[in-house]
RNA sequence: GCGUGCGUAGCUCAGUUGGAUAGAGCGUCUGGCUACGGACCAGAAGGUCGUGGGUUCGAAUCCUGUCGCACGCACCA
């Protein structure tokens, strides 16, 4: 469906041509003076120079031509040379009618859908999720949903850290605690047990303990390194143990990600890439892409155009061990073999930008990834506390994600309790248990996503969980309120489903709401194009505000005129759908009550 | 040292890619609402866009000098 801006631009462009100017000057944008107009065209000022005429004169000519055009309620030229436009309510009404019938609310879906792999999450097996994992999960999930909304085939991969030193640490710690386990008996020949030798809560305790111990006890650290090495060389006992650790940990991670409404299509990890490493490195050396330098194997990735120094990409350490880059490249080998995506998006901490530039260049130079494949790095900033420093626990330790969520949920619960007290109703425990996580999640995700991904932001529980202002709960509240009105309408014995015909705007606030509504596709497309979920937040916040403004001065349920009331119900439904669509793109959903 | 990013209201952030009087929220101040659609609404105060220069009809936005902060600069992930 054609967008409002395009329709107006088309008309303006024709008018410019008719007056003897180039078509390109007819470009129309949103007004930045809503008090004066809804849309504006600045082309007359640009044209003034080219045609050596006063801008006002040009604007006057164009506005005169369009004076009685049916699309406009008003079109005037003003002082320096702006053309100010208000569009006709009837046209707006028809536009909404089309928008409501369009499954994507007027968004232009990708003509040629792409296959895209989004690499996000980055959890480490056996280690608890912490604040650092929050942004990757939240931003990555939203990006995945946005890309998918525009028709692409998107594969989300958690890309677990499942092959590192933490495995050796756990194995050795377990060895010391339960030396009788068959995994540690060198003479054992039988099948290894199907039941895991440890639970998730044991593992949660064992890993940090082992990690601390390795820093104080050099001999233990050495043993852990050796165990890791043994595991990576396929020792059957350790492999059996590793599989148990994996399954226990994955189940727990899944549970935690589910709570965040973060769903991965693939649960691949570094270990999956290991089989590809030897051939890959050999091939890169054989084709002179990689070479030896100071005992290590490296790939030159510097370009003449680089302003900054670009160190070579290391793919094998001088001691023969592989690195993060090795595993990332081998992962690409596997992904190309299995999926051949046309685009990659990595969502990680922005401090890794240089590193990923190296990996991307290496992948292309080595021919692992085609030149035409786009490889994007979305780097996010740090989650800080109110002091502007990385968010920590009160004791100064790493903040676990679980605790962060509990902190938010607790704040939400207290607010709900307080509100219930004000209204003098009691808060049903069962109801609260359903609502609190939903509201908490909106607070957490909206608080994160409303910032630009690349910027650091301050994690402020009070601000995020506030039911007022630019927050997740405020958006949810708006949706819940609409649901409540629709319920009331149903209780009058009417069916909201039958209210499908829009009514032309008859108040300023109603028109403002409609104008914001038709802007959805612009906001969503900008978010899509720029990989910027914060644009969705900005938009749904505007829409919520416009809606609240409108409903405040409109008595919908008491309206006697049937057509008008039905038009409003249709409008409400569309606002609700668009808001729900918006929060779904952000990765959360609204409860029925709150 | 080299490089990258960022400096916008007391605080947290926007700013449609060069347009009119730089916008929101929180906080502060004033007013409305005994309401189950008020977790809201109306209004006020608050700014030399870090700072100096340049480009042009026009700059928070582009170029440049400078100050401050954060981050990164091959065998960690």
């Amino acid at each position: 469906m054609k967008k409002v801006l395009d329709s107006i631009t088309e008309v303006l462009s024709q008018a410019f041509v008719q007056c003897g100017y180039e078509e390109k000057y007819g470009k129309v944008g949103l007004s930045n003076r809503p008090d004066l107009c809804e849309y504006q065209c600045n082309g007359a000022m640009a044209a003034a120079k080219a045609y050596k005429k006063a801008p006002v004169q040009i604007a006057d000519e164009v506005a005169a031509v369009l004076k009685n055009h049916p699309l406009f309620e008003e079109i005037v030229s003003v002082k320096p040379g702006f053309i100010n436009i208000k569009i006709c309510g009837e046209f707006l009404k028809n536009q909404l009618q089309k928008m409501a019938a369009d499954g994507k609310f007027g968004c232009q879906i990708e003509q040629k859908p792409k296959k895209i792999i989004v690499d996000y999450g980055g959890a480490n097996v056996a280690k608890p999720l912490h604040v650092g994992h929050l942004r990757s999960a939240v931003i990555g999930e939203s990006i995945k949903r946005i890309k998918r909304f525009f028709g692409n085939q998107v594969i989300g991969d958690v890309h677990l850290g499942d092959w590192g030193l933490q495995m050796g640490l756990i194995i050795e710690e377990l060895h010391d605690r339960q030396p009788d386990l068959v995994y540690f008996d060198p003479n054992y020949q039988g099948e290894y047990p199907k039941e895991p030798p440890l639970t998730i809560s044991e593992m949660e305790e064992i890993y940090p303990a082992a990690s601390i111990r390795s820093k104080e006890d050099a001999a233990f650290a050495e043993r852990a390194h050796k165990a890791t090495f043994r595991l990576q060389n396929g020792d059957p006992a350790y492999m059996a143990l590793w599989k148990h650790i994996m399954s226990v940990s994955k189940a727990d991670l899944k549970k935690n990600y589910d709570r965040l409404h973060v769903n991965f299509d693939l649960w691949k990890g570094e270990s999956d890439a290991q089989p590809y490493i030897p051939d890959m490195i050999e091939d890169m050396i054989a084709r002179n892409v990689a070479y030896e330098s100071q005992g290590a194997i490296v790939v030159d990735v510097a370009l003449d155009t680089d302003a900054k120094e670009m160190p070579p990409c290391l793919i094998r350490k001088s001691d023969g061990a592989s690195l993060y880059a090795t595993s990332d490249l081998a992962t690409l080998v596997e992904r190309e073999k299995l999926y051949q995506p046309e685009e990659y998006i990595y969502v990680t901490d922005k401090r890794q930008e240089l590193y990923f530039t190296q990996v991307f260049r290496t992948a292309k130079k080595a021919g692992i990834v085609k030149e035409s494949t786009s490889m994007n790095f979305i780097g996010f900033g740090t989650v800080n506390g109110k002091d502007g420093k990385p968010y920590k626990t009160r004791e100064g330790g790493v903040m676990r994600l679980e605790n962060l969520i509990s902190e938010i949920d607790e704040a939400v619960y207290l607010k709900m309790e307080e509100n219930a007290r004000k209204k003098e109703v009691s808060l049903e425990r069962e109801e609260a248990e359903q609502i609190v996580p939903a509201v908490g999640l909106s607070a957490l995700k909206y608080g994160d996503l409303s910032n630009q991904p690349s910027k650091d932001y301050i994690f402020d529980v009070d601000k995020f969980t506030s039911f007022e202002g630019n927050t997740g709960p405020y958006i949810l509240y708006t949706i819940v309120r609409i649901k409540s009105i629709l319920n009331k309408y149903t209780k009058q014995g009417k069916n909201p489903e039958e209210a499908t015909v829009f009514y032309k705007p008859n108040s300023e606030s109603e028109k403002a709401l409609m104008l914001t509504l038709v802007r959805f596709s612009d906001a969503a497309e900008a978010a899509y194009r720029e990989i910027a979920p914060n644009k969705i937040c900005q938009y749904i916040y505007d829409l919520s505000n416009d809606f609240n403004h409108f409903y405040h001065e409109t008595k919908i349920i008491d309206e006697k005129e049937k057509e008008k009331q039905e038009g409003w119900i249709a409008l409400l439904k569309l606002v609700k759908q668009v808001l729900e669509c918006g929060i779904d793109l952000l990765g959360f959903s609204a409860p029925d009550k709150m």
Side-chain angles (χ1 to χ4, degrees):
Chain A
M1 74 183 257
K2 193 183 276 185
K3 293 191 173 53
V4 176
L5 273 177
D6 292 341
S7 300
I8 307 177
T9 297
E10 200 177 293
V11 172
L12 263 290
S13 296
Q14 279 168 14
F16 269 88
V17 171
Q18 196 182 326
C19 297
Y21 308 104
E22 267 187 85
E23 188 185 338
K24 65 173 181 185
Y25 297 114
K27 192 167 185 311
V28 174
L30 288 178
S31 162
N32 44 27
R33 286 291 302 274
D35 52 321
L36 300 178
C37 60
E38 294 154 1
Y39 298 93
Q40 66 182 60
C41 171
N42 304 337
M45 284 177 296
K49 206 181 203 176
Y51 293 91
K52 293 185 178 142
K53 265 191 189 177
V56 201
Q57 198 187 337
I58 298 174
D60 281 342
E61 290 172 36
V62 174
V65 167
L66 296 172
K67 197 165 170 73
N68 296 314
H69 196 284
L71 197 56
F72 309 122
E73 184 182 294
E74 185 184 280
I75 176 161
V76 291
S77 69
V78 291
K79 344 173 252 199
F82 294 103
I83 300 172
N84 288 349
I85 298 161
K86 286 186 181 167
I87 68 169
C88 155
E90 190 69 22
F91 173 77
L92 195 52
K93 180 200 122 176
N94 291 335
Q95 193 71 16
L96 287 174
Q97 202 73 56
K98 282 185 224 159
M99 186 177 164
D102 182 302
K104 298 283 182 183
F105 308 114
C107 290
Q108 183 70 48
I109 300 310
E110 203 64 66
Q111 298 291 322
K112 286 189 234 156
K114 282 194 201 167
K115 190 190 273 186
I116 304 170
I117 289 185
V118 184
D119 185 314
Y120 68 110
N124 290 308
V125 167
K127 295 189 200 174
L129 292 168
H130 57 81
V131 204
H133 294 109
L134 177 73
R135 296 209 78 188
S136 184
V138 170
I139 296 169
E141 179 70 17
S142 178
I143 290 172
K144 187 186 78 182
R145 292 176 184 220
I146 292 169
K147 289 275 178 182
R148 215 170 253 171
F149 181 79
F150 280 88
N152 300 286
Q153 185 195 342
V154 190
I155 302 168
D157 184 4
V158 66
H159 197 58
L160 294 171
D162 62 356
W163 206 236
L165 182 61
Q166 80 265 37
M167 293 300 174
L169 286 168
I170 292 171
I171 290 172
E172 283 306 320
E173 183 69 23
L174 197 63
H175 186 163
D176 289 356
R177 293 185 186 202
Q178 300 184 52
D180 297 335
L181 289 173
V182 292
Y183 308 95
F184 304 121
D185 177 356
N187 299 317
Y188 186 76
Q189 296 292 327
E191 290 267 312
Y192 288 104
K194 288 215 166 61
E195 286 304 305
L198 77 178
T199 63
I200 182 65
S201 46
E202 283 168 332
M203 195 154 78
E204 279 184 352
E205 192 263 319
I206 282 180
Y207 171 73
S211 176
I212 291 166
R213 191 175 158 197
S214 72
K215 278 168 197 147
E216 296 157 352
D217 182 344
F220 178 75
E222 182 57 28
R223 277 168 54 201
H225 271 106
K226 282 199 173 136
T228 309
F229 189 72
R230 246 178 88 183
L231 169 69
Q232 293 182 346
N233 282 284
D235 179 276
Y238 284 11
M239 280 302 284
L241 204 45
W242 176 77
K243 278 181 187 156
H244 284 313
I245 296 172
M246 285 290 283
S247 67
V248 169
S249 177
K250 264 194 204 176
D252 184 59
L253 285 173
K254 223 166 239 177
K255 206 178 74 194
N256 281 298
Y257 278 126
D258 277 349
R259 249 169 95 181
L260 285 173
H261 288 209
V262 171
N263 309 297
F264 299 98
D265 306 287
L266 298 178
W267 282 77
K268 292 272 188 184
E270 290 177 291
S271 63
D272 293 290
Q274 300 311 308
Y276 298 94
I277 291 177
D279 286 354
M280 178 184 82
I281 294 185
E282 205 175 297
D283 178 65
M284 283 163 74
I285 295 171
R287 295 196 297 117
N288 286 321
V289 173
Y291 65 94
E292 200 200 301
S293 166
Q294 297 171 35
I297 304 292
V298 303
V299 177
D300 279 332
V301 290
L303 299 175
D304 298 341
T305 50
D306 285 337
K308 59 184 162 184
E309 216 175 306
M310 179 63 68
C313 181
L314 252 99
I315 57 171
R316 190 157 74 195
K317 298 206 282 186
S318 47
D319 67 0
S322 55
L323 304 97
Y324 191 35
T326 325
S327 140
D328 266 328
L329 286 165
T331 298
L332 284 167
V333 173
E334 189 191 40
R335 286 175 178 165
E336 286 295 318
K337 185 179 152 202
L338 300 178
Y339 311 107
Q340 293 123 26
E342 290 141 286
E343 184 176 349
Y344 288 99
I345 300 174
Y346 285 75
V347 185
T348 71
D349 191 301
K350 69 178 172 192
R351 283 175 292 200
Q352 296 187 33
E353 181 159 19
L354 177 67
Y355 163 75
F356 273 101
T357 307
Q358 292 178 306
V359 170
F360 292 169
R361 287 188 186 178
T362 303
K364 294 218 166 160
K365 191 171 180 183
I368 295 169
V369 173
K370 277 183 296 192
E371 217 35 69
S372 59
T373 305
S374 56
M375 305 193 81
N376 290 316
F377 173 80
I378 304 295
F380 52 79
T382 314
V383 179
N384 289 332
K386 279 187 186 170
D387 57 358
K389 292 184 191 142
Y391 200 60
K392 294 270 165 69
T393 58
R394 232 163 276 153
E395 293 74 33
V398 177
M399 188 56 147
R400 288 174 62 159
L401 191 49
E402 282 179 78
N403 299 341
L404 201 76
I405 295 172
S406 321
E407 213 175 299
I408 291 264
D409 283 358
E410 203 175 307
V412 170
Y413 183 78
L414 288 176
K415 284 206 170 111
M416 283 180 60
E417 219 178 22
E418 197 191 315
N419 289 326
R421 210 179 311 130
K422 268 189 213 156
K423 282 200 220 165
E424 292 175 12
V425 294
S426 61
L427 183 60
E428 298 293 331
R429 191 180 185 83
E430 218 170 286
E431 206 172 72
E433 271 170 16
Q434 283 199 326
I435 297 170
V436 169
V439 177
L441 190 64
S442 77
L444 187 70
K445 287 195 163 186
Y446 194 93
D448 189 309
L449 294 169
S450 55
N451 296 288
Q452 295 176 11
S454 66
K455 286 198 169 182
D456 297 347
Y457 75 89
I458 292 182
F459 191 90
D460 183 340
V461 177
D462 290 332
K463 179 184 161 191
F464 292 176
T465 57
S466 168
F467 287 58
E468 291 159 37
N470 192 4
T471 69
Y474 174 70
I475 308 290
L476 292 194
Y477 183 73
T478 307
I479 295 172
V480 168
R481 171 182 283 162
I482 296 174
K483 285 183 178 180
S484 163
I485 302 171
L486 293 176
N487 275 339
K488 267 261 158 70
Y489 184 76
T490 307
K491 280 186 187 147
Q492 286 186 339
K494 300 169 190 165
N495 184 359
E497 294 306 313
E498 286 165 14
T500 52
V501 181
F502 285 82
Y503 202 77
K504 73 172 197 289
N506 44 78
S507 72
E508 239 172 77
S509 64
E510 187 175 3
K511 194 173 184 192
L513 175 62
M514 290 176 161
L515 285 166
T516 301
L517 216 34
V518 296
R519 235 176 61 209
F520 173 71
S521 55
D522 299 313
E525 282 168 15
Y528 173 60
R529 206 174 40 242
E530 297 163 36
I531 318 189
N534 56 306
K535 305 246 163 171
I536 305 266
C537 293
Q538 186 61 50
Y539 173 80
I540 59 177
Y541 178 58
D542 287 346
L543 184 59
S544 296
N545 274 335
D546 285 340
F547 171 76
N548 283 321
H549 191 154
F550 159 74
Y551 105 105
H552 184 249
E553 47 186 55
T554 314
K555 292 271 172 263
I556 296 164
I557 292 301
D558 298 338
E559 178 58 43
K560 295 288 181 287
E561 198 180 321
K562 184 165 178 281
E563 273 178 31
K564 197 183 254 186
Q565 191 186 40
E566 285 188 355
W568 282 338
I569 294 294
L571 183 62
L572 253 61
K573 284 194 303 182
L574 186 57
V575 172
K576 173 172 158 286
Q577 283 167 10
V578 170
L579 286 177
E580 282 175 334
C581 176
I583 62 173
D584 184 59
L585 292 176
L586 298 176
F588 56 92
S589 50
D592 289 328
K593 287 169 75 176
M594 63 187 272

